[in-house]
Amino acid sequence: MNKSQIIVSIGGVVLMGGLYALPRQVVKKPAVPANEAAPEQEAAPAHQEPHANMQLSEASLAQIKRLRDAWQQAAPKAKPMWADSLAMAFYQAGRFDSAAYYMAWKAERSQSIEDKLRAADAYYEAFRFAMDAERANRFGEQARALYREVLQQDSSLLDAKAKMAMTYITTSEPMRGIQMLLSILQTNPDHELALYNLGLLSMQRGAYDKAVHRFEHLLEVNPQHAEAYLLLAESYLNLGKTAEAKAALQRALEQLKDPAAKAQIEQAIKELN
């Protein structure tokens, strides 16, 4: 296994957990062979039948149908409760855009900051897991609009600001997102999500020395951050610092729980010996 293969292995472990904050179509990894790639499950637009043409189990589809029928038939006062249940069913199935649709429906009526934040976070997850630019941009816009409302009510919610910042990265104003992340660090130099996101953005543009600085700082703040160790190792490898990369992988191994991920990293460490 050469250096590039080890880097792909590390990146694969990170992606296994859906840990990258950037949309998948922005995170540039080598293509998976066609005979190994899983077909993408197309999500219907949120304003249409959210469960239409979805490749879910029969049990999940039946549960969603029951909840949706109950939501449609419920009295006005009971509808928000059923919207919550329906949103959670979609969220647990990994259909974040459909979950966000019902969370946003409830938030529009309650005007609760908590409901708006839940809807924004769901659209943000849909943005992160989008497989094409059009879908990422659409979900990013929806998340951004809700985060803006949330931050107008409470500007101290820095995690919301850090996520909102990332939705600008795929637009024509990526620097606006970067400036937002930097402004978070001016308020709180140890903010984990801002450090993590800035590290990822540094990696994206090949500035691995800066990525190392961000991830090392993050790990000073949170020594249990397994993903940061993995990304730090990948950054070290790109800088030709094999010994440092191996040490970071060893630390990641101490934090990882998934057996498959641990096996992959153990193999990468062996290849670095």
Side-chain angles (χ1 to χ4, degrees):
M1 185 184 291
N2 58 33
K3 186 187 79 170
S4 63
Q5 289 174 318
I6 294 171
I7 289 172
V8 170
S9 176
I10 296 169
V13 173
V14 177
L15 285 172
M16 276 168 55
L19 301 169
Y20 274 121
L22 292 167
R24 289 188 175 187
Q25 47 87 26
V26 174
V27 180
K28 296 176 174 60
K29 293 290 173 185
V32 178
N35 62 343
E36 296 180 16
E40 179 185 356
Q41 296 180 2
E42 291 293 325
H47 62 275
Q48 298 178 3
E49 297 289 335
H51 62 279
N53 301 318
M54 288 168 47
Q55 298 179 26
L56 297 177
S57 68
E58 290 186 7
S60 292
L61 287 172
Q63 179 193 25
I64 286 168
K65 185 180 186 304
R66 285 195 302 271
L67 291 170
R68 188 175 183 277
D69 288 346
W71 173 70
Q72 288 181 320
Q73 297 166 15
K77 288 186 178 180
K79 275 186 177 291
M81 178 192 70
W82 288 109
D84 260 343
S85 298
L86 191 50
M88 288 309 301
F90 276 116
Y91 200 94
Q92 290 167 2
R95 310 311 298 188
F96 303 117
D97 55 336
S98 297
Y101 172 85
Y102 289 102
M103 291 178 184
W105 179 91
K106 180 184 177 187
E108 185 178 350
R109 287 152 182 80
S110 72
Q111 289 300 304
S112 158
I113 189 171
E114 291 81 8
D115 287 340
K116 289 179 183 178
L117 185 56
R118 288 179 67 226
D121 284 345
Y123 274 127
Y124 182 72
E125 291 303 302
F127 162 77
R128 288 179 59 216
F129 285 92
M131 298 298 286
D132 61 74
E134 185 279 330
R135 185 169 285 135
N137 289 335
R138 174 157 52 87
F139 297 146
E141 287 175 7
Q142 290 165 309
R144 192 160 53 247
L146 285 161
Y147 281 133
R148 187 177 295 113
E149 291 184 32
V150 166
L151 290 167
Q152 285 173 349
Q153 291 182 249
D154 187 350
S155 61
S156 71
L157 298 173
L158 297 184
D159 277 4
K161 187 174 182 180
K163 292 174 185 177
M164 180 180 175
M166 295 304 282
T167 68
Y168 281 106
I169 302 304
T170 57
T171 71
S172 59
E173 301 180 281
M175 284 306 300
R176 185 169 180 177
I178 293 171
Q179 290 301 322
M180 287 178 68
L181 292 170
L182 292 172
S183 72
I184 291 172
L185 294 185
Q186 290 177 345
T187 301
N188 177 5
D190 295 334
H191 190 268
E192 291 187 32
L193 189 54
L195 289 168
Y196 181 84
N197 288 347
L198 285 167
L200 283 177
L201 294 172
S202 294
M203 291 180 73
Q204 185 196 6
R205 67 177 191 272
Y208 295 106
D209 54 341
K210 292 184 178 179
V212 164
H213 171 72
R214 297 299 185 189
F215 293 130
E216 285 182 340
H217 186 168
L218 171 55
L219 288 165
E220 290 174 5
V221 177
N222 180 4
Q224 283 77 49
H225 202 300
E227 311 93 87
Y229 284 117
L230 291 170
L231 295 170
L232 177 61
E234 184 173 337
S235 299
Y236 276 139
L237 280 175
N238 277 287
L239 292 171
K241 297 183 176 182
T242 304
E244 291 88 341
K246 182 179 175 183
L249 289 176
Q250 291 282 9
R251 294 297 304 274
L253 202 55
E254 297 170 8
Q255 305 301 327
L256 289 168
K257 306 297 183 186
D258 181 76
K262 293 184 74 168
Q264 203 166 339
I265 294 304
E266 286 171 350
Q267 182 60 37
I269 291 171
K270 288 179 183 177
E271 297 291 339
L272 290 173
N273 287 333

Coordinates of all heavy atoms in Angstrom, one line a residue, residues 15 20-29 127-134 136-137 166-171 174 200-201 203-205:
L15 N -15.1 9.0 6.1 CA -16.4 9.1 5.4 C -17.4 8.0 5.8 O -18.6 8.2 5.8 CB -16.1 8.9 3.9 CG -15.5 10.2 3.2 CD1 -15.1 9.8 1.8 CD2 -16.5 11.3 3.2
Y20 N -17.2 14.1 7.5 CA -16.8 15.4 6.8 C -17.9 16.4 6.9 O -19.1 16.0 6.7 CB -16.5 15.1 5.4 CG -15.0 14.7 5.1 CD1 -14.8 13.4 4.5 CD2 -14.0 15.5 5.5 CE1 -13.5 13.0 4.3 CE2 -12.7 15.1 5.3 CZ -12.4 13.9 4.7 OH -11.1 13.5 4.4
A21 N -17.6 17.6 7.1 CA -18.6 18.7 7.2 C -19.0 19.2 5.8 O -20.0 19.8 5.6 CB -18.1 19.8 8.1
L22 N -18.1 18.9 4.8 CA -18.4 19.4 3.5 C -19.3 18.4 2.8 O -19.3 17.2 3.1 CB -17.0 19.5 2.7 CG -16.1 20.5 3.1 CD1 -14.7 20.3 2.4 CD2 -16.6 21.9 2.7
P23 N -20.1 18.9 1.8 CA -20.9 18.0 1.0 C -20.1 16.9 0.4 O -19.0 17.2 0.0 CB -21.6 18.9 0.0 CG -21.5 20.2 0.6 CD -20.3 20.3 1.4
R24 N -20.6 15.7 0.2 CA -19.8 14.6 -0.4 C -19.3 15.0 -1.8 O -18.3 14.5 -2.2 CB -20.6 13.4 -0.4 CG -20.9 12.8 1.0 CD -21.5 11.5 1.0 NE -21.6 10.9 2.3 CZ -22.0 9.7 2.5 NH1 -22.3 8.9 1.6 NH2 -22.1 9.2 3.8
Q25 N -20.1 15.7 -2.6 CA -19.7 16.0 -3.9 C -18.5 17.0 -3.9 O -17.9 17.2 -5.0 CB -20.8 16.5 -4.8 CG -21.7 17.6 -4.2 CD -21.2 19.0 -4.4 OE1 -20.5 19.2 -5.4 NE2 -21.6 19.9 -3.5
V26 N -18.2 17.7 -2.8 CA -17.1 18.6 -2.7 C -15.9 17.9 -2.2 O -14.8 18.2 -2.6 CB -17.5 19.8 -1.7 CG1 -16.3 20.7 -1.5 CG2 -18.6 20.6 -2.3
V27 N -16.0 16.9 -1.3 CA -14.9 16.1 -0.8 C -14.3 15.3 -1.9 O -15.0 14.3 -2.3 CB -15.3 15.3 0.4 CG1 -14.1 14.5 0.9 CG2 -15.8 16.2 1.5
K28 N -13.2 15.6 -2.4 CA -12.6 14.9 -3.6 C -11.8 13.7 -3.2 O -10.7 13.8 -2.7 CB -11.8 15.9 -4.4 CG -12.6 17.0 -5.0 CD -11.7 18.0 -5.8 CE -12.6 19.0 -6.5 NZ -13.4 19.8 -5.6
K29 N -12.4 12.5 -3.3 CA -11.8 11.2 -3.1 C -11.7 10.5 -4.4 O -12.6 10.6 -5.3 CB -12.5 10.4 -2.0 CG -12.5 11.1 -0.6 CD -11.1 11.0 -0.1 CE -11.0 11.8 1.2 NZ -9.6 11.9 1.8
F127 N -27.7 18.7 3.2 CA -26.6 19.4 2.5 C -25.3 18.6 2.5 O -24.7 18.4 1.5 CB -26.4 20.8 3.2 CG -25.2 21.5 2.8 CD1 -25.0 22.2 1.6 CD2 -24.1 21.6 3.8 CE1 -23.8 22.8 1.3 CE2 -23.0 22.3 3.5 CZ -22.8 22.9 2.3
R128 N -24.9 18.1 3.7 CA -23.7 17.4 3.8 C -23.7 16.1 3.0 O -22.6 15.7 2.4 CB -23.4 17.1 5.3 CG -23.0 18.2 6.2 CD -22.8 17.7 7.6 NE -21.8 16.7 7.6 CZ -21.8 15.6 8.5 NH1 -22.8 15.4 9.3 NH2 -20.8 14.7 8.4
F129 N -24.8 15.4 3.0 CA -24.8 14.1 2.3 C -25.3 14.2 0.9 O -25.5 13.2 0.2 CB -25.7 13.2 3.1 CG -25.1 12.7 4.4 CD1 -25.2 13.4 5.6 CD2 -24.2 11.6 4.4 CE1 -24.6 12.9 6.7 CE2 -23.6 11.1 5.5 CZ -23.8 11.8 6.7
A130 N -25.5 15.4 0.4 CA -25.9 15.6 -1.0 C -24.8 15.0 -2.0 O -23.6 15.2 -1.7 CB -26.2 17.1 -1.3
M131 N -25.3 14.4 -3.0 CA -24.4 13.7 -3.9 C -24.2 14.6 -5.2 O -23.4 14.1 -6.1 CB -24.9 12.3 -4.3 CG -25.0 11.4 -3.1 SD -23.4 11.1 -2.3 CE -22.6 10.0 -3.5
D132 N -24.8 15.7 -5.4 CA -24.6 16.5 -6.5 C -24.7 18.0 -6.1 O -25.3 18.3 -5.0 CB -25.6 16.2 -7.7 CG -27.0 16.4 -7.3 OD1 -27.5 17.6 -7.2 OD2 -27.8 15.4 -7.0
A133 N -24.2 18.9 -6.9 CA -24.1 20.3 -6.6 C -25.5 20.9 -6.5 O -25.7 21.8 -5.6 CB -23.3 21.0 -7.6
E134 N -26.4 20.6 -7.4 CA -27.7 21.2 -7.3 C -28.4 20.9 -6.0 O -29.0 21.8 -5.4 CB -28.6 20.7 -8.5 CG -29.9 21.4 -8.7 CD -31.0 20.8 -7.7 OE1 -30.9 19.6 -7.4 OE2 -31.9 21.6 -7.3
A136 N -27.0 19.9 -3.2 CA -26.3 20.6 -2.1 C -26.6 22.0 -1.9 O -26.8 22.6 -0.8 CB -24.8 20.4 -2.3
N137 N -26.7 22.7 -3.1 CA -27.0 24.2 -3.1 C -28.4 24.4 -2.5 O -28.7 25.3 -1.7 CB -26.9 24.8 -4.5 CG -25.4 24.9 -4.9 OD1 -24.5 24.9 -4.0 ND2 -25.2 24.9 -6.2
M166 N -20.5 26.9 6.6 CA -20.1 25.9 5.7 C -21.1 25.8 4.5 O -20.7 25.3 3.4 CB -20.1 24.5 6.3 CG -19.0 24.4 7.4 SD -17.3 24.7 6.7 CE -17.0 23.2 5.9
T167 N -22.3 26.3 4.6 CA -23.2 26.3 3.5 C -22.8 27.3 2.4 O -23.3 27.3 1.3 CB -24.7 26.6 3.9 OG1 -24.8 27.9 4.4 CG2 -25.1 25.6 5.1
Y168 N -22.0 28.2 2.8 CA -21.5 29.2 1.8 C -20.4 28.7 0.9 O -20.1 29.2 -0.1 CB -21.0 30.5 2.5 CG -22.1 31.4 3.0 CD1 -22.4 31.6 4.3 CD2 -22.8 32.2 2.0 CE1 -23.4 32.4 4.7 CE2 -23.8 33.1 2.4 CZ -24.1 33.2 3.8 OH -25.1 34.1 4.2
I169 N -19.7 27.6 1.4 CA -18.5 27.1 0.7 C -18.8 26.7 -0.7 O -17.9 26.8 -1.6 CB -17.9 26.0 1.5 CG1 -17.5 26.5 2.9 CG2 -16.6 25.4 0.8 CD1 -16.6 27.7 3.0
T170 N -20.0 26.1 -1.0 CA -20.3 25.7 -2.3 C -21.0 26.7 -3.2 O -21.5 26.5 -4.2 CB -21.2 24.4 -2.2 OG1 -22.4 24.7 -1.5 CG2 -20.5 23.3 -1.6
T171 N -21.1 28.0 -2.6 CA -21.7 29.1 -3.4 C -20.7 29.9 -4.0 O -19.5 29.6 -4.0 CB -22.6 29.9 -2.4 OG1 -21.7 30.7 -1.6 CG2 -23.5 29.1 -1.6
P174 N -17.6 31.7 -1.2 CA -17.0 30.8 -0.2 C -16.2 31.6 0.9 O -16.1 31.2 2.1 CB -16.0 30.0 -1.0 CG -15.8 30.8 -2.2 CD -17.0 31.5 -2.5
L200 N -10.7 21.2 7.6 CA -11.1 20.6 6.4 C -10.9 21.5 5.2 O -10.5 21.0 4.1 CB -12.6 20.2 6.6 CG -13.0 19.0 7.4 CD1 -14.5 18.9 7.5 CD2 -12.4 17.8 6.8
L201 N -11.3 22.7 5.3 CA -11.1 23.7 4.2 C -9.7 23.8 3.8 O -9.3 24.0 2.6 CB -11.8 25.0 4.6 CG -13.3 25.0 4.7 CD1 -13.8 26.3 5.3 CD2 -14.0 24.6 3.4
M203 N -7.4 21.5 4.1 CA -7.1 20.3 3.4 C -7.6 20.3 2.0 O -7.0 19.9 1.0 CB -7.7 19.0 4.1 CG -7.1 18.7 5.4 SD -7.9 17.2 6.2 CE -7.2 15.9 5.1
Q204 N -8.8 20.8 1.8 CA -9.5 20.9 0.5 C -8.6 21.7 -0.5 O -8.5 21.3 -1.7 CB -10.9 21.5 0.6 CG -11.6 21.5 -0.7 CD -12.8 22.5 -0.7 OE1 -13.0 23.2 0.2 NE2 -13.6 22.4 -1.8
R205 N -8.0 22.8 0.0 CA -7.1 23.6 -0.9 C -5.7 23.2 -0.9 O -4.8 23.8 -1.5 CB -7.3 25.1 -0.6 CG -6.8 25.5 0.7 CD -6.9 27.1 0.8 NE -6.2 27.6 1.9 CZ -6.7 27.7 3.1 NH1 -7.9 27.3 3.4 NH2 -6.0 28.3 4.1

